[in-house]
Amino acid sequence: MSGVGFGMGQRPVNRRQRAVKALWTGIWLVYLSAPVTDLLHGGHSTGVRVLGWLGLAAFVTWYMLLVFRTGRGERNGLVLGSLGVLAAQSALLALTLGREWLVLFVYVSIASGAALPLRMARWTIPAACALLTAVAFAVPGGHSYLAGLLIPALLGGFAMTGVRELVRTTIALREARATVAQLAANEERLRLARDLHDLLGHSLSLITLKSELAGRMLPDHPGKAAQQVADIEQVSRQALVDVREAVTGYRRPRLSAELAGARVALTAAGVAADLPAEPDLTGVPEESESALAWALREAVTNVVRHSGARRCAVELLHRQTLDGPVLELAVEDDGSGGPGDGHGNGLTGLTERLTKAGGTLEAGPLKHGFRLVARVPSAGPAAVGSPA
C-alpha cells in the first residue's frame, strides 16, 4: 500500500498522493454541471456542441494545471498570463453559448486567490468579478444569474487567499522544526566533544608528563623509570575504562528517553503520535530495555523517513507467555511501510540485536500501513526460573 495522506504544505511524493490532490482539486468541478447540461440539452447544433466541449475541456485543463502547481515558485507574470487565458476563455464561451457559462468566472476568481499572493489577488479577484458583471449584462438573461455568481466568486477567491497563506505558514513551520532538530543534533555533538575532552584531557596530559619523566630517568634510574611506566599503564587503563563507560552510556539508549525522542521526531515530521506514558520497567533487564529502545528508534526513523504516514501508534505491554514474561513493543503506522520490499539493513541489525537479548522481531505491511512488533524477556534468568 502506498501512503495517500500528506500534510498541508507538503508536496505529493508518489502517484497515489498526486491522484488524491487532483481529486480534491477537481471535486469542485461539479459546479460545471450548468455548462454540461447546456451542451447536452441546450439545443445547439452538432458543430457548436463539439466546439463547446473542446472549449470546456481546454478551460478545465488550464485551470487544473494552474491550481495543481500552486506554490512551486512560478513567476507571477506567468500566473497572470494563465489567468488572462482563463478569463478570455470564460468570456468567449459565455458570449457565444449563453448565460450558463458565466459560472466559469467563479473558477477564474478562485484560481486568482490560489495562485497569486494577496497583494496581487486583492486586485485580480475584483477584476474577475467586474468582468463577470460586464459579460452577464452582455449575455441575454445573464443578469438573472449575476447575484448567484458574484458572491461565490468574491468569497471563494478571497477564501483561497487565506488557504494559500495558511499553506505558506505551514511550510515555514516545518522548516523551523527542521532547523530546531538540526540545532539539537549539533548541541549533542558539542556535548559529546566536551565530555570526551573532560574525560581524556587530564589522563592524556598525565601520560605525556610521566612519559617524559620516564625518558629522562631511563639511563640513570631504571627503577624509577619502570615505576613511571607502571603509572602510565595504570592511567591508560583507567582512561580506557572511562571512555568505554562514556561510550556505553551514549550508545545504550533508555526506553523512556526514546519515547520522548519519538514524540519530538514524529511531531516535527507532522505525524500524529499516539505514545504510551512513562513505562514501568521494574525488574526488566537492562539488555532487554536497551534492545526495545533500539527497536523503537529504528521504527520511528522508518516512519519519519520512508513511510509518508499521517498517524503512528506505539504500544508497550507486559505479557505472559509459555517461555516466561515478555515486554512487547508494537509500532503501527498508516503509511507505505518503507521504500521497498523486504527488510533493510536497519531491520536486519535490529533482528540480530533482539535475538542477542533473547527476543524476537515481527515486521510487515498491513492493509493500510506497516506494523513492527518487538518482544524481549521482562525478567532475568533467575526470576524466570523462580517459583514466583
Side-chain angles (χ1 to χ4, degrees), residues 110-128:
I110 291 175
S112 299
L116 287 174
L118 179 60
R119 59 184 175 82
M120 301 183 70
R122 64 182 180 179
W123 299 108
T124 57
I125 294 173

mmCIF file with all atom_site columns, all heavy atoms in Angstrom, residues 110-128:
data_model
loop_
_atom_site.group_PDB
_atom_site.id
_atom_site.type_symbol
_atom_site.label_atom_id
_atom_site.label_alt_id
_atom_site.label_comp_id
_atom_site.label_asym_id
_atom_site.label_entity_id
_atom_site.label_seq_id
_atom_site.pdbx_PDB_ins_code
_atom_site.Cartn_x
_atom_site.Cartn_y
_atom_site.Cartn_z
_atom_site.occupancy
_atom_site.B_iso_or_equiv
_atom_site.pdbx_formal_charge
_atom_site.auth_seq_id
_atom_site.auth_comp_id
_atom_site.auth_asym_id
_atom_site.auth_atom_id
_atom_site.pdbx_PDB_model_num
ATOM 1   N N   . ILE A 1 110 ? -11.364 31.979 -8.115  1.00 0.00 ? 110 ILE A N   1
ATOM 2   C CA  . ILE A 1 110 ? -10.741 31.047 -7.168  1.00 0.00 ? 110 ILE A CA  1
ATOM 3   C C   . ILE A 1 110 ? -9.290  30.772 -7.546  1.00 0.00 ? 110 ILE A C   1
ATOM 4   O O   . ILE A 1 110 ? -8.402  30.716 -6.685  1.00 0.00 ? 110 ILE A O   1
ATOM 5   C CB  . ILE A 1 110 ? -11.556 29.740 -7.124  1.00 0.00 ? 110 ILE A CB  1
ATOM 6   C CG1 . ILE A 1 110 ? -12.915 29.999 -6.463  1.00 0.00 ? 110 ILE A CG1 1
ATOM 7   C CG2 . ILE A 1 110 ? -10.802 28.644 -6.385  1.00 0.00 ? 110 ILE A CG2 1
ATOM 8   C CD1 . ILE A 1 110 ? -13.827 28.807 -6.473  1.00 0.00 ? 110 ILE A CD1 1
ATOM 9   N N   . ALA A 1 111 ? -9.018  30.611 -8.836  1.00 0.00 ? 111 ALA A N   1
ATOM 10  C CA  . ALA A 1 111 ? -7.637  30.395 -9.276  1.00 0.00 ? 111 ALA A CA  1
ATOM 11  C C   . ALA A 1 111 ? -6.770  31.604 -8.957  1.00 0.00 ? 111 ALA A C   1
ATOM 12  O O   . ALA A 1 111 ? -5.588  31.459 -8.617  1.00 0.00 ? 111 ALA A O   1
ATOM 13  C CB  . ALA A 1 111 ? -7.607  30.099 -10.774 1.00 0.00 ? 111 ALA A CB  1
ATOM 14  N N   . SER A 1 112 ? -7.339  32.812 -9.023  1.00 0.00 ? 112 SER A N   1
ATOM 15  C CA  . SER A 1 112 ? -6.577  34.019 -8.672  1.00 0.00 ? 112 SER A CA  1
ATOM 16  C C   . SER A 1 112 ? -6.159  33.977 -7.206  1.00 0.00 ? 112 SER A C   1
ATOM 17  O O   . SER A 1 112 ? -5.004  34.259 -6.862  1.00 0.00 ? 112 SER A O   1
ATOM 18  C CB  . SER A 1 112 ? -7.420  35.265 -8.941  1.00 0.00 ? 112 SER A CB  1
ATOM 19  O OG  . SER A 1 112 ? -7.764  35.372 -10.310 1.00 0.00 ? 112 SER A OG  1
ATOM 20  N N   . GLY A 1 113 ? -7.108  33.609 -6.324  1.00 0.00 ? 113 GLY A N   1
ATOM 21  C CA  . GLY A 1 113 ? -6.764  33.549 -4.913  1.00 0.00 ? 113 GLY A CA  1
ATOM 22  C C   . GLY A 1 113 ? -5.792  32.452 -4.569  1.00 0.00 ? 113 GLY A C   1
ATOM 23  O O   . GLY A 1 113 ? -4.986  32.586 -3.647  1.00 0.00 ? 113 GLY A O   1
ATOM 24  N N   . ALA A 1 114 ? -5.849  31.349 -5.317  1.00 0.00 ? 114 ALA A N   1
ATOM 25  C CA  . ALA A 1 114 ? -4.988  30.206 -5.004  1.00 0.00 ? 114 ALA A CA  1
ATOM 26  C C   . ALA A 1 114 ? -3.576  30.367 -5.542  1.00 0.00 ? 114 ALA A C   1
ATOM 27  O O   . ALA A 1 114 ? -2.628  29.856 -4.940  1.00 0.00 ? 114 ALA A O   1
ATOM 28  C CB  . ALA A 1 114 ? -5.608  28.927 -5.562  1.00 0.00 ? 114 ALA A CB  1
ATOM 29  N N   . ALA A 1 115 ? -3.434  31.052 -6.661  1.00 0.00 ? 115 ALA A N   1
ATOM 30  C CA  . ALA A 1 115 ? -2.145  31.064 -7.355  1.00 0.00 ? 115 ALA A CA  1
ATOM 31  C C   . ALA A 1 115 ? -1.367  32.364 -7.208  1.00 0.00 ? 115 ALA A C   1
ATOM 32  O O   . ALA A 1 115 ? -0.191  32.410 -7.571  1.00 0.00 ? 115 ALA A O   1
ATOM 33  C CB  . ALA A 1 115 ? -2.359  30.781 -8.844  1.00 0.00 ? 115 ALA A CB  1
ATOM 34  N N   . LEU A 1 116 ? -1.978  33.415 -6.672  1.00 0.00 ? 116 LEU A N   1
ATOM 35  C CA  . LEU A 1 116 ? -1.294  34.700 -6.567  1.00 0.00 ? 116 LEU A CA  1
ATOM 36  C C   . LEU A 1 116 ? -1.167  35.107 -5.111  1.00 0.00 ? 116 LEU A C   1
ATOM 37  O O   . LEU A 1 116 ? -2.015  34.773 -4.281  1.00 0.00 ? 116 LEU A O   1
ATOM 38  C CB  . LEU A 1 116 ? -2.071  35.785 -7.332  1.00 0.00 ? 116 LEU A CB  1
ATOM 39  C CG  . LEU A 1 116 ? -2.009  35.734 -8.853  1.00 0.00 ? 116 LEU A CG  1
ATOM 40  C CD1 . LEU A 1 116 ? -2.945  36.781 -9.445  1.00 0.00 ? 116 LEU A CD1 1
ATOM 41  C CD2 . LEU A 1 116 ? -0.588  35.945 -9.358  1.00 0.00 ? 116 LEU A CD2 1
ATOM 42  N N   . PRO A 1 117 ? -0.113  35.867 -4.760  1.00 0.00 ? 117 PRO A N   1
ATOM 43  C CA  . PRO A 1 117 ? -0.024  36.412 -3.393  1.00 0.00 ? 117 PRO A CA  1
ATOM 44  C C   . PRO A 1 117 ? -1.140  37.417 -3.147  1.00 0.00 ? 117 PRO A C   1
ATOM 45  O O   . PRO A 1 117 ? -1.718  37.980 -4.084  1.00 0.00 ? 117 PRO A O   1
ATOM 46  C CB  . PRO A 1 117 ? 1.359   37.070 -3.373  1.00 0.00 ? 117 PRO A CB  1
ATOM 47  C CG  . PRO A 1 117 ? 1.706   37.325 -4.804  1.00 0.00 ? 117 PRO A CG  1
ATOM 48  C CD  . PRO A 1 117 ? 1.047   36.242 -5.589  1.00 0.00 ? 117 PRO A CD  1
ATOM 49  N N   . LEU A 1 118 ? -1.426  37.660 -1.879  1.00 0.00 ? 118 LEU A N   1
ATOM 50  C CA  . LEU A 1 118 ? -2.566  38.506 -1.520  1.00 0.00 ? 118 LEU A CA  1
ATOM 51  C C   . LEU A 1 118 ? -2.446  39.906 -2.103  1.00 0.00 ? 118 LEU A C   1
ATOM 52  O O   . LEU A 1 118 ? -3.458  40.501 -2.514  1.00 0.00 ? 118 LEU A O   1
ATOM 53  C CB  . LEU A 1 118 ? -2.685  38.574 0.005   1.00 0.00 ? 118 LEU A CB  1
ATOM 54  C CG  . LEU A 1 118 ? -3.826  39.435 0.565   1.00 0.00 ? 118 LEU A CG  1
ATOM 55  C CD1 . LEU A 1 118 ? -5.176  38.927 0.074   1.00 0.00 ? 118 LEU A CD1 1
ATOM 56  C CD2 . LEU A 1 118 ? -3.784  39.458 2.089   1.00 0.00 ? 118 LEU A CD2 1
ATOM 57  N N   . ARG A 1 119 ? -1.233  40.447 -2.170  1.00 0.00 ? 119 ARG A N   1
ATOM 58  C CA  . ARG A 1 119 ? -1.065  41.804 -2.675  1.00 0.00 ? 119 ARG A CA  1
ATOM 59  C C   . ARG A 1 119 ? -1.507  41.941 -4.127  1.00 0.00 ? 119 ARG A C   1
ATOM 60  O O   . ARG A 1 119 ? -1.868  43.040 -4.568  1.00 0.00 ? 119 ARG A O   1
ATOM 61  C CB  . ARG A 1 119 ? 0.391   42.238 -2.532  1.00 0.00 ? 119 ARG A CB  1
ATOM 62  C CG  . ARG A 1 119 ? 1.378   41.353 -3.274  1.00 0.00 ? 119 ARG A CG  1
ATOM 63  C CD  . ARG A 1 119 ? 2.820   41.781 -3.017  1.00 0.00 ? 119 ARG A CD  1
ATOM 64  N NE  . ARG A 1 119 ? 3.767   40.870 -3.620  1.00 0.00 ? 119 ARG A NE  1
ATOM 65  C CZ  . ARG A 1 119 ? 4.128   40.913 -4.897  1.00 0.00 ? 119 ARG A CZ  1
ATOM 66  N NH1 . ARG A 1 119 ? 3.604   41.834 -5.708  1.00 0.00 ? 119 ARG A NH1 1
ATOM 67  N NH2 . ARG A 1 119 ? 5.004   40.037 -5.371  1.00 0.00 ? 119 ARG A NH2 1
ATOM 68  N N   . MET A 1 120 ? -1.505  40.840 -4.873  1.00 0.00 ? 120 MET A N   1
ATOM 69  C CA  . MET A 1 120 ? -1.972  40.867 -6.260  1.00 0.00 ? 120 MET A CA  1
ATOM 70  C C   . MET A 1 120 ? -3.387  40.319 -6.384  1.00 0.00 ? 120 MET A C   1
ATOM 71  O O   . MET A 1 120 ? -4.184  40.815 -7.191  1.00 0.00 ? 120 MET A O   1
ATOM 72  C CB  . MET A 1 120 ? -1.014  40.057 -7.145  1.00 0.00 ? 120 MET A CB  1
ATOM 73  C CG  . MET A 1 120 ? 0.421   40.556 -7.120  1.00 0.00 ? 120 MET A CG  1
ATOM 74  S SD  . MET A 1 120 ? 1.508   39.652 -8.235  1.00 0.00 ? 120 MET A SD  1
ATOM 75  C CE  . MET A 1 120 ? 0.872   40.221 -9.822  1.00 0.00 ? 120 MET A CE  1
ATOM 76  N N   . ALA A 1 121 ? -3.699  39.299 -5.564  1.00 0.00 ? 121 ALA A N   1
ATOM 77  C CA  . ALA A 1 121 ? -5.039  38.700 -5.659  1.00 0.00 ? 121 ALA A CA  1
ATOM 78  C C   . ALA A 1 121 ? -6.129  39.684 -5.250  1.00 0.00 ? 121 ALA A C   1
ATOM 79  O O   . ALA A 1 121 ? -7.260  39.597 -5.736  1.00 0.00 ? 121 ALA A O   1
ATOM 80  C CB  . ALA A 1 121 ? -5.102  37.452 -4.774  1.00 0.00 ? 121 ALA A CB  1
ATOM 81  N N   . ARG A 1 122 ? -5.819  40.631 -4.376  1.00 0.00 ? 122 ARG A N   1
ATOM 82  C CA  . ARG A 1 122 ? -6.848  41.591 -3.957  1.00 0.00 ? 122 ARG A CA  1
ATOM 83  C C   . ARG A 1 122 ? -7.280  42.498 -5.103  1.00 0.00 ? 122 ARG A C   1
ATOM 84  O O   . ARG A 1 122 ? -8.308  43.182 -4.995  1.00 0.00 ? 122 ARG A O   1
ATOM 85  C CB  . ARG A 1 122 ? -6.324  42.424 -2.794  1.00 0.00 ? 122 ARG A CB  1
ATOM 86  C CG  . ARG A 1 122 ? -5.131  43.307 -3.136  1.00 0.00 ? 122 ARG A CG  1
ATOM 87  C CD  . ARG A 1 122 ? -4.659  44.064 -1.915  1.00 0.00 ? 122 ARG A CD  1
ATOM 88  N NE  . ARG A 1 122 ? -3.500  44.919 -2.231  1.00 0.00 ? 122 ARG A NE  1
ATOM 89  C CZ  . ARG A 1 122 ? -2.907  45.707 -1.332  1.00 0.00 ? 122 ARG A CZ  1
ATOM 90  N NH1 . ARG A 1 122 ? -3.351  45.727 -0.087  1.00 0.00 ? 122 ARG A NH1 1
ATOM 91  N NH2 . ARG A 1 122 ? -1.879  46.456 -1.686  1.00 0.00 ? 122 ARG A NH2 1
ATOM 92  N N   . TRP A 1 123 ? -6.505  42.502 -6.174  1.00 0.00 ? 123 TRP A N   1
ATOM 93  C CA  . TRP A 1 123 ? -6.906  43.251 -7.377  1.00 0.00 ? 123 TRP A CA  1
ATOM 94  C C   . TRP A 1 123 ? -7.475  42.332 -8.451  1.00 0.00 ? 123 TRP A C   1
ATOM 95  O O   . TRP A 1 123 ? -8.427  42.706 -9.145  1.00 0.00 ? 123 TRP A O   1
ATOM 96  C CB  . TRP A 1 123 ? -5.703  44.022 -7.947  1.00 0.00 ? 123 TRP A CB  1
ATOM 97  C CG  . TRP A 1 123 ? -5.128  45.021 -7.004  1.00 0.00 ? 123 TRP A CG  1
ATOM 98  C CD1 . TRP A 1 123 ? -3.948  44.941 -6.338  1.00 0.00 ? 123 TRP A CD1 1
ATOM 99  C CD2 . TRP A 1 123 ? -5.720  46.265 -6.603  1.00 0.00 ? 123 TRP A CD2 1
ATOM 100 N NE1 . TRP A 1 123 ? -3.745  46.035 -5.539  1.00 0.00 ? 123 TRP A NE1 1
ATOM 101 C CE2 . TRP A 1 123 ? -4.834  46.881 -5.694  1.00 0.00 ? 123 TRP A CE2 1
ATOM 102 C CE3 . TRP A 1 123 ? -6.907  46.922 -6.917  1.00 0.00 ? 123 TRP A CE3 1
ATOM 103 C CZ2 . TRP A 1 123 ? -5.090  48.107 -5.108  1.00 0.00 ? 123 TRP A CZ2 1
ATOM 104 C CZ3 . TRP A 1 123 ? -7.174  48.152 -6.333  1.00 0.00 ? 123 TRP A CZ3 1
ATOM 105 C CH2 . TRP A 1 123 ? -6.277  48.731 -5.439  1.00 0.00 ? 123 TRP A CH2 1
ATOM 106 N N   . THR A 1 124 ? -6.909  41.151 -8.621  1.00 0.00 ? 124 THR A N   1
ATOM 107 C CA  . THR A 1 124 ? -7.377  40.275 -9.692  1.00 0.00 ? 124 THR A CA  1
ATOM 108 C C   . THR A 1 124 ? -8.743  39.668 -9.399  1.00 0.00 ? 124 THR A C   1
ATOM 109 O O   . THR A 1 124 ? -9.528  39.429 -10.324 1.00 0.00 ? 124 THR A O   1
ATOM 110 C CB  . THR A 1 124 ? -6.355  39.145 -9.928  1.00 0.00 ? 124 THR A CB  1
ATOM 111 O OG1 . THR A 1 124 ? -6.148  38.423 -8.709  1.00 0.00 ? 124 THR A OG1 1
ATOM 112 C CG2 . THR A 1 124 ? -5.017  39.702 -10.400 1.00 0.00 ? 124 THR A CG2 1
ATOM 113 N N   . ILE A 1 125 ? -9.049  39.411 -8.120  1.00 0.00 ? 125 ILE A N   1
ATOM 114 C CA  . ILE A 1 125 ? -10.359 38.842 -7.787  1.00 0.00 ? 125 ILE A CA  1
ATOM 115 C C   . ILE A 1 125 ? -11.479 39.835 -8.099  1.00 0.00 ? 125 ILE A C   1
ATOM 116 O O   . ILE A 1 125 ? -12.460 39.488 -8.771  1.00 0.00 ? 125 ILE A O   1
ATOM 117 C CB  . ILE A 1 125 ? -10.388 38.387 -6.316  1.00 0.00 ? 125 ILE A CB  1
ATOM 118 C CG1 . ILE A 1 125 ? -9.429  37.212 -6.109  1.00 0.00 ? 125 ILE A CG1 1
ATOM 119 C CG2 . ILE A 1 125 ? -11.797 37.989 -5.887  1.00 0.00 ? 125 ILE A CG2 1
ATOM 120 C CD1 . ILE A 1 125 ? -9.263  36.805 -4.658  1.00 0.00 ? 125 ILE A CD1 1
ATOM 121 N N   . PRO A 1 126 ? -11.396 41.109 -7.641  1.00 0.00 ? 126 PRO A N   1
ATOM 122 C CA  . PRO A 1 126 ? -12.429 42.071 -8.060  1.00 0.00 ? 126 PRO A CA  1
ATOM 123 C C   . PRO A 1 126 ? -12.466 42.275 -9.568  1.00 0.00 ? 126 PRO A C   1
ATOM 124 O O   . PRO A 1 126 ? -13.540 42.507 -10.146 1.00 0.00 ? 126 PRO A O   1
ATOM 125 C CB  . PRO A 1 126 ? -12.028 43.355 -7.334  1.00 0.00 ? 126 PRO A CB  1
ATOM 126 C CG  . PRO A 1 126 ? -11.261 42.902 -6.142  1.00 0.00 ? 126 PRO A CG  1
ATOM 127 C CD  . PRO A 1 126 ? -10.514 41.694 -6.619  1.00 0.00 ? 126 PRO A CD  1
ATOM 128 N N   . ALA A 1 127 ? -11.290 42.187 -10.229 1.00 0.00 ? 127 ALA A N   1
ATOM 129 C CA  . ALA A 1 127 ? -11.278 42.342 -11.679 1.00 0.00 ? 127 ALA A CA  1
ATOM 130 C C   . ALA A 1 127 ? -12.050 41.213 -12.357 1.00 0.00 ? 127 ALA A C   1
ATOM 131 O O   . ALA A 1 127 ? -12.807 41.442 -13.318 1.00 0.00 ? 127 ALA A O   1
ATOM 132 C CB  . ALA A 1 127 ? -9.837  42.389 -12.185 1.00 0.00 ? 127 ALA A CB  1
ATOM 133 N N   . ALA A 1 128 ? -11.877 39.979 -11.856 1.00 0.00 ? 128 ALA A N   1
ATOM 134 C CA  . ALA A 1 128 ? -12.632 38.863 -12.417 1.00 0.00 ? 128 ALA A CA  1
ATOM 135 C C   . ALA A 1 128 ? -14.124 39.038 -12.184 1.00 0.00 ? 128 ALA A C   1
ATOM 136 O O   . ALA A 1 128 ? -14.954 38.736 -13.060 1.00 0.00 ? 128 ALA A O   1
ATOM 137 C CB  . ALA A 1 128 ? -12.141 37.547 -11.793 1.00 0.00 ? 128 ALA A CB  1
#
